[in-house]
Amino acid sequence: MQYHGQHVALHPTRGVVAHGVELDAVVAEVRASGLPLDDIVLDFISDSPF
């Protein structure tokens, strides 16, 4: 429930490394952390159970 309605950036060993309502802000947070975007999977966690 923590990430429902948000975009998340997932790293294979670190898990969720950034999250937020706006995709641009999530990408900016990943870039600021120094992690390569090639190592990240971006996803949206829906509020809807369907």
Side-chain angles (χ1 to χ4, degrees):
M1 299 270 303
Q2 179 178 355
Y3 303 113
H4 283 202
Q6 296 187 32
H7 296 275
V8 294
L10 303 166
H11 186 270
T13 59
R14 296 183 185 185
V16 175
V17 294
H19 63 91
V21 176
E22 298 293 327
L23 180 59
D24 290 341
V26 173
V27 171
E29 188 175 340
V30 171
R31 285 188 174 136
S33 75
L35 290 170
L37 289 178
D38 289 343
D39 293 349
I40 301 297
V41 172
L42 297 171
D43 200 1
F44 180 76
I45 310 301
S46 175
D47 275 334
S48 172
F50 303 103

